[in-house]
Amino acid sequence: MKIYFYLFSLFLFTACGGDKVSSDAELQALEASRIAQEAAYEGVTNAHDRIMPRMGEVTAAQRAIKERLEAGGLADDTEDLLEAAYEELEDAEDGMMEWMRNLKSLDELRETMNNDAIISYIRDENAEIAEVETAMTTSIANAKKIVGDHSGHNHGQGGHNH
């Protein structure tokens, strides 16, 4: 009978000890996952922080276009270009606002997703913010080009073809 008690105690001790090792390994894996999630999420927030100040450029470009349109006396093709550029800026701005509105916090993600799903979500968000950045950069450059290219259009500058 003592031998059974001894074997049972040994089994119980080994099982508990094994759980501790497993728990330590699980804790280390969990911590590594959390660190990876935080680093990936930081990439998303860094992209946001890099792009957000450009919203002022979008507003300034929209204002310049609006002033040109309100001044009137534009050729139809110039007016069409300015309106298209304004709309492109508006779309870029809307894209940024929508992206910010839909971005989930890391805490929200951790409440409902496992590590693989979180990393996948963050990758998708990185791709989306890259698209927003491209749209914003392109629309600002296009607006500046159009406003600059057509700034003297109706002032009788000879030798200038638009």
Side-chain angles (χ1 to χ4, degrees):
M1 187 69 150
K2 286 184 180 182
I3 191 96
Y4 292 119
F5 179 74
Y6 175 74
L7 288 175
F8 178 74
S9 297
L10 182 63
F11 172 76
L12 187 60
F13 179 75
T14 304
C16 290
D19 283 348
K20 182 167 183 2
V21 171
S22 176
S23 294
D24 286 346
E26 288 173 5
L27 286 174
Q28 288 175 351
L30 180 61
E31 184 61 23
S33 294
R34 292 179 71 81
I35 290 169
Q37 293 165 7
E38 288 166 7
Y41 199 83
E42 186 176 332
V44 171
T45 57
N46 286 343
H48 166 269
D49 294 347
R50 183 179 62 248
I51 299 164
M52 192 62 194
R54 304 223 52 203
M55 292 294 281
E57 291 180 66
V58 169
T59 302
Q62 286 174 315
R63 191 176 317 118
I65 289 171
K66 193 172 185 176
E67 288 171 3
R68 292 290 315 281
L69 288 168
E70 288 173 354
L74 299 169
D76 288 343
D77 64 333
T78 301
E79 190 172 320
D80 291 345
L81 283 172
L82 288 167
E83 288 173 352
Y86 190 90
E87 193 171 309
E88 188 179 34
L89 289 162
E90 213 168 51
D91 290 346
E93 180 181 38
D94 290 347
M96 179 66 165
M97 300 310 282
E98 182 178 336
W99 179 84
M100 289 189 315
R101 192 172 36 255
N102 292 328
L103 181 67
K104 295 179 181 173
S105 72
L106 195 50
D107 288 337
E108 287 177 277
L109 298 174
R110 287 175 175 162
E111 288 175 8
T112 59
M113 296 180 179
N114 66 25
N115 183 61
D116 291 342
I118 291 171
I119 296 299
S120 178
Y121 174 86
I122 294 170
R123 281 189 194 124
D124 291 346
E125 291 305 307
N126 262 324
E128 285 185 36
I129 194 64
E131 289 176 19
V132 168
E133 183 172 24
T134 298
M136 193 170 295
T137 300
T138 302
S139 65
I140 291 168
N142 189 39
K144 286 180 178 179
K145 180 181 178 213
I146 291 170
V147 171
D149 282 355
H150 297 286
S151 61
H153 185 68
N154 292 318
H155 298 291
Q157 293 181 353
H160 243 13
N161 293 327
H162 294 279

